[in-house]
């Protein structure tokens, strides 16, 4: 028998917004999340403040969590991982493991919102010594320290005097096969540079970039204030190696504007790691027979005119499961997926 329930897989920003939208239109939704709590990567990685307005991530994500918790029409299943599926549009039987037990969820349509993972800087870009030097950290590590209000050198607990960001780590890199731009890291680095200048005002902050890619209003909201108000130094340059000298790090590379080699001492180096598909995204794509692009993100079928439909009728994908996305992209695609999932359900289960 056809089901009038829509299954949303993944309780990050995208999944929460899709579930909220479906329920607010009066349809039933089951939201499954494999972690014991909602919030997705911003919660798991303890983001401090969000671009562009430095709003507390905990507060913003908390609002999204409240909108789907104890709400009519929302069946929330935490600690639940999707492991299999049979059936087709109107009548999917989805298998999941909930707190160690196998369960079956009936769904007329499915929205995949299984998100991304951060690039592991130790994987193929060993030149930066992430796993060798305590003071080489990632955007995610920096975010945790900023959230705790304690931005210090991990090696000795002292306040840094010189900090730099290295952009495009794991993105725009043909050698490792990630040619794409991860879209959010230029904005997030600039946001963190502002926060570092706020919490350690006498610290000099540098951003080594290939191109600065600020999208839309982030240019005015983050990039110019970072330079003009917070005196962050943007240097067009390529860092090729990080070595340790005494208790400092030396960043070696080339200043491409001045066309000369550079060797600059730093106390902390922050690697702007990019986005890759999460394991959950790759597994769930295989479970539903969804096509993946060469990077492992789910391929949607309609190009720019339909960013959420997949080749499988009744199965939609949104947010970072389909490629690098910021929260604005996630929320927009979640709304589009909710609308299309409802439309497919109505066609499969006539009122
Ligand atoms: C360092 C960093 C900082 C960032 N800061 C900002 C910012 O300030 N502003 C901004 O706009 N964007 C920011 N972003 C981007 C933002 O994190 C993403 O746009 C957003 O988290 C993507 O949301 P999502 O719900 O699609 O995926 P995710 O947040 O990754 O959530 C996916 C969820 O799916 C769950 N899941 C996976 N597999 C399964 C399964 N099989 N069954 C059940 N559940 C499953 C996961 O546990 C997870 O909870 C940042 C990104 C990085 C790298
Ligand atoms: S957003 Fe910036 S740092 Fe991130 S991949 Fe694109 S250009 Fe590189």
């Amino acid at each position: 028998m056809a089901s009038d329930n829509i299954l949303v897989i993944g309780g990050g920003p995208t999944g929460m917004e899709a579930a909220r939208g479906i329920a607010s239109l009066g349809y039933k939704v089951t939201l499954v999340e494999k972690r014991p709590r909602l919030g997705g990567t911003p919660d798991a990685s303890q983001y401090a403040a969000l671009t562009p307005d430095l709003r507390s991530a905990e507060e913003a994500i908390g609002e999204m969590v409240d909108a789907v918790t104890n709400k009519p029409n929302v069946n929330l299943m935490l600690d639940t991982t999707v492991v299999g599926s049979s059936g087709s549009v109107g009548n999917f039987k989805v298998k999941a493991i909930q707190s160690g037990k196998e369960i079956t969820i009936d769904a007329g349509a499915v929205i995949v919102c299984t998100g991304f993972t951060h690039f592991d800087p130790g994987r193929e870009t060993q030149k930066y010594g992430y796993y060798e030097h305590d003071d080489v950290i990632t955007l995610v590590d920096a975010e945790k320290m900023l959230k705790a209000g304690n931005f210090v050198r991990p090696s000795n607990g002292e306040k840094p005097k010189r900090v730099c960001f290295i952009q495009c780590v794991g993105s725009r890199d043909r050698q490792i096969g990630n040619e794409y731009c991860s879209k959010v890291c230029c904005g997030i680095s600039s946001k963190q540079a502002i926060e570092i200048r706020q919490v350690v005002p006498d610290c000099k902050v540098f951003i080594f970039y290939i191109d600065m890619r600020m999208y839309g209003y982030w240019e005015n909201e983050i990039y110019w204030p970072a330079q003009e108000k917070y005196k962050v130094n943007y240097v067009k340059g390529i860092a090729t190696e990080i070595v340790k000298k005494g208790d400092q790090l030396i960043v070696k590379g080339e200043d491409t504007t001045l066309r000369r080699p550079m060797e600059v001492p730093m106390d902390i180096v922050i690697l702007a790691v990019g986005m890759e598909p999460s394991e959950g995204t790759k597994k769930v794509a295989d479970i539903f027979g969804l096509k993946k692009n060469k990077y492992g993100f789910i391929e949607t079928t309609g190009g720019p005119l339909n960013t959420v439909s997949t080749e499988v009728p009744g199965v939609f994908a949104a947010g970072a499961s389909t490629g690098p996305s910021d929260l604005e992209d996630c929320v927009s695609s979640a709304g589009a997926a909710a609308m299309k999932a409802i439309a497919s359900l109505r066609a499969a289960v006539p009122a």
Side-chain angles (χ1 to χ4, degrees):
M1 206 183 93
S3 167
D4 59 356
N5 181 44
I6 297 174
L7 172 65
V8 174
I9 308 173
T14 309
M16 291 190 288
E17 176 60 14
R20 189 199 63 77
I22 293 163
S24 72
L25 289 169
Y27 289 83
K28 286 189 214 157
V29 59
T30 298
L31 174 59
V32 302
E33 166 55 50
K34 69 176 180 184
R35 295 172 64 233
R37 38 191 286 146
L38 292 172
T41 306
D43 176 72
S45 295
Q46 296 175 45
Y47 292 178
L50 296 177
T51 49
D53 53 3
L54 299 194
R55 186 172 178 209
S56 150
E58 201 172 318
E59 185 191 287
I61 299 296
E63 264 177 24
M64 298 188 90
V65 172
D66 289 347
V68 291
T69 306
N70 298 323
K71 291 286 182 272
N73 291 335
V74 182
N75 176 18
L76 184 55
M77 293 184 167
L78 298 175
D79 213 351
T80 305
T81 305
V82 167
V83 293
S85 175
S86 59
S88 57
V89 58
N91 192 7
F92 290 101
K93 302 260 174 225
V94 179
K95 275 204 184 111
I97 304 291
Q98 184 177 50
S99 312
K101 278 198 211 126
E102 188 173 299
I103 57 166
T104 302
I105 303 162
D106 291 319
V110 176
I111 306 178
V112 180
C113 308
T114 41
F116 76 103
T117 189
H118 305 101
F119 177 78
D120 174 0
R123 201 177 73 201
E124 279 158 274
T125 43
Q126 295 292 350
K127 58 190 179 187
Y128 295 137
Y130 176 69
Y131 291 108
E132 288 156 46
H133 309 308
D134 290 344
D135 294 330
V136 177
I137 64 174
T138 65
L139 286 181
V140 189
D141 303 320
E143 207 55 49
K144 282 187 189 142
M145 283 205 278
L146 288 165
K147 184 165 186 197
N150 187 32
F151 192 78
V152 292
R153 297 182 68 184
S155 63
N156 61 13
E158 286 174 11
K159 285 206 185 315
K161 293 193 179 64
R162 291 169 66 85
V163 171
C164 78
F165 291 80
I166 297 179
Q167 298 306 108
C168 300
V169 176
S171 312
R172 303 180 65 198
D173 187 334
R174 288 187 179 187
Q175 245 172 339
I176 61 169
N178 286 356
E179 297 95 345
Y180 56 89
C181 167
S182 285
K183 212 170 169 183
V184 296
C185 6
C186 277
I188 291 156
S189 298
S190 300
K191 177 214 71 148
Q192 288 189 357
I194 292 174
E195 289 174 288
I196 294 167
R197 293 278 299 146
Q198 285 173 338
V199 296
V200 195
D202 56 354
C203 178
K204 287 198 160 52
V205 180
F206 301 82
I207 296 185
F208 295 120
Y209 67 95
I210 308 174
D211 309 296
M212 267 334 255
R213 294 192 168 171
M214 292 285 169
Y215 290 87
Y217 300 131
W218 284 16
E219 181 88 7
N220 251 359
E221 290 167 339
I222 319 173
Y223 178 61
W224 288 112
Q227 289 194 65
E228 291 171 356
K229 185 165 175 205
Y230 293 95
K231 311 293 177 212
V232 174
N233 302 289
Y234 287 79
V235 181
K236 195 167 169 67
I238 298 170
T240 50
E241 194 185 5
I242 297 171
V243 293
K244 194 131 197 259
K245 193 169 175 191
D247 79 337
Q248 269 196 318
L249 298 166
I250 307 291
V251 178
K252 296 186 176 182
E254 191 196 338
D255 183 323
T256 51
T257 306
L258 300 176
R259 292 201 180 159
R260 65 177 190 208
M262 61 174 183
E263 270 199 36
V264 278
M266 291 291 156
D267 295 325
I268 297 178
V269 175
I270 303 174
L271 305 178
V273 287
M275 297 168 97
E276 292 192 316
S278 68
E279 276 311 305
T281 287
K282 290 188 259 182
K283 279 195 189 133
V284 170
D286 291 343
I287 288 168
F288 287 95
L290 309 179
K291 205 168 160 190
K292 288 175 280 184
N293 67 19
K294 64 186 271 205
Y295 313 112
F297 289 107
I298 294 171
E299 200 158 283
T300 51
T301 53
L305 300 186
N306 180 351
T307 55
V308 297
S309 294
T310 71
E311 284 188 330
V312 179
V315 181
F316 304 88
S321 68
T322 63
S325 325
D326 67 6
L327 290 172
E328 211 175 306
D329 299 331
C330 290
V331 166
S332 307
S333 65
M339 183 187 74
K340 286 195 187 281
I342 291 170
S344 83
L345 194 80
R346 286 173 62 122
V349 190

